[in-house]
């Protein structure tokens, strides 16, 4: 069964090197692109060091990939927050980009370091922004009818470089996050982490009970942990 699932994982791989070589004989292969991205955080790219990385984690970690045909356990994965790419390191050492359109959920990270992350698509949810209807959200809480989700992205910020090498500062990756709430109507909406914004998404009908709970528990809705506490209570109403 595991061999079958690994074969399915291989079938999801995008042969980037083959596609690129068909366009240009000098186009970088998938491995070249990956090595270049990894080198950015080590100051090895060109004459200007780049701090940080476009990847969620700068190293390969074990994870899971869930498809409609089953779950592939323990593959080595990397997730690119800039290009929204999921990379898989094969046993022979090379890497492939997976076709995420055939994946419903994946996780990666080092649980011993507290870096385990779960990403999920909500294809049946009502989402206003068209690109997000098939996107992966990082799951912060989803144990009932509601959910707290996050979209993280990284953009390369180019420093204002002078004409001399001595005056140049390094480029660096900048991360931004947008939080989303899924309510009991299966609608996903962006929110600010504030009482007014959270209660507006969860609806007027349960606002009095939620406000009373916030006051009683002294919740700070600028903190993720307290929003999760509120959602756990919301799921019981």
């Amino acid at each position: 069964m595991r061999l079958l699932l690994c074969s399915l994982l291989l079938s999801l791989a995008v042969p980037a090197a083959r596609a690129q070589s068909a366009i240009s004989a000098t186009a970088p292969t998938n491995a070249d692109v990956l090595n270049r991205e990894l080198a950015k955080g080590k100051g090895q790219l060109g004459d200007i060091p780049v701090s940080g990385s476009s990847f969620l984690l700068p190293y390969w970690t074990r994870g899971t990939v869930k498809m409609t045909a089953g779950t592939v356990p323990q593959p080595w994965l990397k997730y690119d927050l800039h290009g929204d790419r999921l990379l898989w390191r094969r046993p022979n050492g090379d890497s492939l980009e997976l076709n995420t359109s055939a994946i419903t959920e994946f996780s990666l990270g080092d649980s011993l370091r507290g870096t385990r992350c779960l990403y999920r698509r909500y294809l049946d949810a009502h989402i206003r922004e068209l690109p997000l209807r098939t996107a992966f959200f990082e799951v912060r809480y989803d144990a009932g009818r509601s959910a707290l989700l996050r979209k993280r992205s990284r953009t390369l910020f180019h420093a204002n470089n002078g004409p001399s090498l001595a005056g140049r500062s390094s480029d660096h990756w900048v991360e931004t996050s947008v939080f989303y709430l899924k309510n009991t109507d299966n609608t996903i909406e962006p929110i600010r982490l504030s009482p007014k914004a959270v209660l507006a998404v969860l609806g007027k009908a349960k606002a009095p009970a939620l406000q009373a709970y916030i006051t009683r528990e002294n919740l700070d809705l600028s903190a993720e942990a307290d929003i999760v506490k509120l959602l756990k209570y919301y799921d019981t109403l």
Side-chain angles (χ1 to χ4, degrees):
M1 181 64 178
R2 183 173 181 178
L3 179 60
L4 174 60
L5 291 174
C6 288
S7 298
L8 288 172
L9 185 59
L10 180 59
S11 70
L12 296 178
V14 179
R18 187 184 307 168
Q20 289 173 340
S21 62
I23 298 172
S24 170
T26 59
T29 64
N30 181 274
D32 292 334
V33 173
L34 179 59
N35 289 335
R36 183 183 304 169
E37 295 291 339
L38 291 173
K40 288 179 179 179
K42 301 176 182 178
Q44 298 171 349
L45 184 63
D47 55 14
I48 303 175
V50 178
S51 61
S53 169
S54 67
F55 292 102
L56 174 66
L57 298 170
Y59 44 85
W60 293 98
T61 64
R62 291 285 192 181
T64 60
V65 175
K66 185 176 181 180
M67 302 172 290
T68 54
T71 300
V72 180
Q74 300 297 304
W76 289 99
L77 300 172
K78 271 181 174 291
Y79 185 46
D80 177 14
L81 292 172
H82 174 69
D84 195 27
R85 299 179 304 146
L86 182 62
L87 303 180
W88 169 45
R89 190 181 74 185
R90 298 198 296 178
N92 61 8
D94 68 346
S95 63
L96 294 172
E97 181 182 347
L98 297 180
N99 179 8
T100 53
S101 65
I103 298 172
T104 59
E105 181 181 298
F106 67 89
S107 69
L108 73 169
D110 187 342
S111 57
L112 293 178
R113 300 182 183 181
T115 56
R116 177 62 49 182
C117 295
L118 173 65
Y119 285 83
R120 182 176 295 156
R121 300 168 77 198
Y122 290 82
L123 301 177
D124 296 330
H126 306 294
I127 305 175
R128 185 175 303 173
E129 298 178 59
L130 185 61
L132 295 179
R133 295 177 185 174
T134 56
F136 284 93
F137 291 89
E138 182 182 349
V139 179
R140 310 302 293 174
Y141 167 79
D142 189 358
R145 295 173 297 166
S146 64
L148 178 64
L149 312 170
R150 179 167 67 173
K151 284 292 294 179
R152 300 162 70 180
S153 61
R154 288 186 187 165
T155 304
L156 185 61
F157 179 82
H158 297 284
N160 186 17
N161 299 317
S164 67
L165 291 178
R168 295 185 181 183
S169 57
S170 64
D171 295 350
H172 58 278
W173 289 96
V174 177
E175 181 174 315
T176 57
S177 289
V178 178
F179 285 89
Y180 294 82
L181 270 185
K182 181 174 78 73
N183 61 26
T184 55
D185 293 332
N186 203 27
T187 298
I188 294 177
E189 297 185 44
I191 61 158
R192 290 179 294 104
L193 302 189
S194 70
K196 182 178 180 181
V198 171
L199 291 177
V201 173
L202 295 181
K204 294 181 180 180
K206 298 177 181 178
L210 295 175
Q211 185 59 64
Y213 183 79
I214 293 170
T215 302
R216 184 169 67 251
E217 299 296 324
N218 194 26
L219 299 183
D220 176 9
L221 295 191
S222 66
E224 279 189 62
D226 281 2
I227 294 179
V228 170
K229 289 180 182 178
L230 182 66
L231 293 182
K232 288 179 179 179
Y233 175 71
Y234 174 75
D235 285 338
T236 68
L237 298 177

